[in-house]
Amino acid sequence: MDKRILRTELKLLSRDRGVLMLLAAFACVLAYGFYNSAAWVGGRSAETRQIVEKHENFLAERRSEVERGFTGSNEPGNFVANPSDPFTIGTELHYAVLPFTSAAIFAVGQSDVLPIQHGISLLTLQRTKADKAGFENPMSLMYGKFDAAFVIIFLLPLVILAMSFDMISAERESNTLAMLLSEPISLWSLLVSKIAARAVFVAVPIFIGLIVAAALSGAAAMTAEFWWRAAVWLIVVVAYAAFWFGLAAVINSFSRRSATNAVASAALWLLFVLVLPSLIGIVVSSVYPVPSRTEVTAAIRGVNLDMRRDGEKLLTEYYQDHPELLPKDGKTDLKAFGLAFVYIQQQHKAKIAEVESRFAEQLENQRKWVSLSRFLSPAISANEAILDVAGTGTARFVDFRTQAGEHDRAWSEFFRGKVFRLEKLTPGDFDALPRFSHKEEPPAEVISRVLTSAGFILIATTALFFFAYRGTRKYGAQK
């Protein structure tokens, strides 16, 4: 790299209104992407916080009623369920919630496709408002939120290519290349100097965006988690930008006209950013399709049980298989409509769990194949890495579904025995209720995955610059 050329390029770029307007527009769009992400994350966080607080308040009110000895009301028009009835509390819908990380502002990711809350109840979710979450294809991400990740993955390459596609061809077409190479400088040094100058200018809106992200994150930006995630995000962005500068260097090394370089740049952007990710998404979704809502409905219908017709028989068999659930006095009400209802709901949940297990398996297969396919496109690698940094990627959602499923089973197990033993809840039972708390994976695992993706991009970048160097060697070093 030649320092004189670098200084000259910096001066020329600083006086180029087109470049300055392009970078200013990019900075504004990136800032808006962060703002859009912050608004969405803030809104969803407030919603989920209200959901959790509502359930906690419900439990506190029912606990207080039990302490007072309130047993409900059967007055016409004023029915109030008995708060000590385990069926009443166990069937109350509540949610296991996946909290956003402090760096969620960096990418909305799949949090607008996969639900960040999981309904918990003794009933099947098909009988609750949680059913609207359903099973959706998590690979349908092309129409997500406009966020900072979209700006980086889709628009940053366009900015770099727009500034760099004619670095050498413009000099040749203006008849200044021969004059420059008459100095003691090689074409390679000239090319690297021009790229370095452009990298300095591109870095400015990225750092401005990072400052905006920290400002919009508020208290979250005061945590160590935010800054280690921000540092890793910056590494990914730098590696991704370097790849596109490397691609621009290769394009310029072929000594074609500016118009040809522009077409080649556009074609390669389409290939790496749009075509390859779309094709991979289609192939993965076809090879590993997730179960549809129809399969869930079919699974429930497969449990051909009727509470009125089969209730007594079902409960007799159930108590025979589970004698530990018999009431302490040994007296059972085999005609109890509510007990039969709970039994059949548990059977439904077991069938749905089978479908969910296939869903989780297919989702994991999709995630693995997308993870492997990231080596085909830097856009996929960078996107996967940014989602991991933000905590909105598939891996974290899969882990959340697993933890939520475990909590759902713990909740059902807690109430199932009390329902069938005809026990009443005590204030101590309310204190012992299973409560969901999401356990985050160790930061080292996140950093390892992200740096693997960034490492691949840097390896590809090194290869590109090597090819660009080979392409400029024919000009030799000018003395």
Side-chain angles (χ1 to χ4, degrees):
M1 182 171 63
D2 189 279
K3 293 182 179 179
R4 293 176 303 163
I5 297 296
L6 176 61
R7 288 194 295 268
T8 301
E9 282 296 313
L10 289 173
K11 290 180 181 178
L12 291 174
L13 290 172
S14 65
R15 296 170 183 173
D16 190 327
R17 291 185 179 180
V19 169
L20 296 180
M21 290 179 63
L22 176 64
L23 293 175
F26 178 70
C28 291
V29 172
L30 182 59
Y32 176 72
F34 280 122
Y35 169 79
N36 204 29
S37 297
W40 192 85
V41 170
R44 290 304 306 272
S45 296
E47 291 175 8
T48 54
R49 190 162 50 247
Q50 290 176 2
I51 289 173
V52 173
E53 291 176 354
K54 180 181 178 181
H55 184 65
E56 288 298 322
N57 291 337
F58 170 82
L59 293 178
E61 292 172 1
R62 301 295 83 76
R63 185 187 189 283
S64 177
E65 291 173 349
V66 171
E67 284 185 325
R68 297 198 313 266
F70 179 69
T71 58
S73 172
N74 292 318
E75 296 180 10
N78 188 33
F79 174 79
V80 179
N82 186 347
S84 64
D85 182 3
F87 180 83
T88 299
I89 306 302
T91 56
E92 177 68 19
L93 175 67
H94 69 286
Y95 292 89
V97 175
L98 175 64
F100 288 104
T101 68
S102 61
I105 191 174
F106 288 112
V108 169
Q110 301 185 46
S111 54
D112 65 338
V113 179
L114 295 176
I116 62 172
Q117 67 274 342
H118 183 84
I120 308 295
S121 173
L122 270 175
L123 307 180
T124 66
L125 298 188
Q126 298 297 115
R127 299 185 63 89
T128 70
K129 60 185 178 182
D131 175 49
K132 64 184 180 182
F135 294 96
E136 300 296 340
N137 188 339
M139 304 304 296
S140 301
L141 305 177
M142 295 303 293
Y143 304 102
K145 296 287 182 180
F146 182 88
D147 59 0
F150 176 88
V151 177
I152 294 297
I153 300 302
F154 287 85
L155 303 186
L156 177 59
L158 290 176
V159 171
I160 292 173
L161 293 175
M163 294 176 62
S164 309
F165 76 93
D166 63 345
M167 290 182 294
I168 301 301
S169 59
E171 298 287 358
R172 182 185 300 105
E173 291 166 2
S174 60
N175 297 318
T176 56
L177 181 60
M179 181 180 64
L180 287 171
L181 296 181
S182 65
E183 299 291 330
I185 181 176
S186 66
L187 182 61
W188 172 248
S189 294
L190 175 65
L191 182 59
V192 171
S193 299
K194 285 177 172 288
I195 288 175
R198 283 155 176 78
V200 170
F201 274 81
V202 169
V204 173
I206 292 176
F207 278 101
I208 291 176
L210 187 57
I211 294 172
V212 171
L216 291 172
S217 296
M222 305 302 292
T223 63
E225 181 195 25
F226 175 87
W227 288 108
W228 74 253
R229 288 181 181 272
V232 177
W233 174 84
L234 191 58
I235 291 173
V236 174
V237 173
V238 169
Y240 188 58
F243 173 88
W244 290 100
F245 276 119
L247 196 61
V250 172
I251 293 172
N252 278 271
S253 69
F254 283 107
S255 303
R256 298 289 190 266
R257 294 179 303 168
S258 295
T260 304
N261 289 355
V263 172
S265 298
L268 290 172
W269 179 84
L270 285 171
L271 175 65
F272 287 120
V273 177
L274 292 180
V275 177
L276 280 177
S278 298
L279 287 177
I280 291 170
I282 292 171
V283 171
V284 171
S285 297
S286 300
V287 176
Y288 296 107
V290 295
S292 66
R293 186 186 301 271
T294 304
E295 290 192 45
V296 179
T297 304
I300 293 177
R301 290 176 177 174
V303 182
N304 186 24
L305 301 174
D306 184 88
M307 288 177 287
R308 295 177 177 82
R309 183 193 67 202
D310 304 318
E312 185 173 346
K313 176 184 175 182
L314 293 172
L315 292 176
T316 299
E317 294 175 351
Y318 189 69
Y319 279 125
Q320 288 175 351
D321 294 337
H322 302 278
E324 74 279 4
L325 298 181
L326 283 168
K328 293 180 180 179
D329 59 6
K331 297 179 180 180
T332 60
D333 184 3
L334 297 180
K335 295 184 179 180
F337 181 87
L339 293 181
F341 178 74
V342 171
Y343 174 80
I344 292 176
Q345 285 292 295
Q346 292 298 301
Q347 297 303 305
H348 285 171
K349 291 189 76 170
K351 289 296 183 180
I352 293 176
E354 295 177 6
V355 180
E356 283 197 322
S357 67
R358 294 202 304 275
F359 176 87
E361 181 181 356
Q362 294 294 76
L363 184 62
E364 180 63 15
N365 288 331
Q366 289 183 353
R367 189 184 70 81
K368 288 180 178 178
W369 276 95
V370 170
S371 180
L372 291 174
S373 65
R374 71 183 187 272
F375 299 114
L376 298 176
S377 169
I380 297 176
S381 291
N383 187 61
E384 289 291 303
I386 290 174
L387 294 184
D388 258 335
V389 168
T392 53
T394 309
R396 190 164 180 260
F397 278 104
V398 170
D399 183 57
F400 165 67
R401 287 185 67 90
T402 301
Q403 294 185 36
E406 292 172 355
H407 174 65
D408 183 57
R409 288 188 290 273
W411 181 268
S412 295
E413 187 64 26
F414 183 89
F415 284 100
R416 185 169 58 92
K418 295 184 180 298
V419 168
F420 284 98
R421 285 192 295 265
L422 305 179
E423 296 177 355
K424 297 299 182 184
L425 297 177
T426 66
D429 289 326
F430 280 90
D431 296 334
L433 285 175
R435 283 175 167 79
F436 180 79
S437 178
H438 182 257
K439 298 176 182 178
E440 295 288 353
E441 62 180 329
E445 293 185 13
V446 178
I447 294 174
S448 175
R449 286 199 304 269
V450 173
L451 292 186
T452 298
S453 295
F456 157 71
I457 297 174
L458 289 176
I459 290 173
T461 300
T462 302
L464 288 174
F465 276 105
F466 174 76
F467 286 124
Y469 171 73
R470 291 287 301 272
T472 60
R473 281 185 62 186
K474 61 183 180 180
Y475 289 90
Q478 303 296 320
K479 302 297 184 180

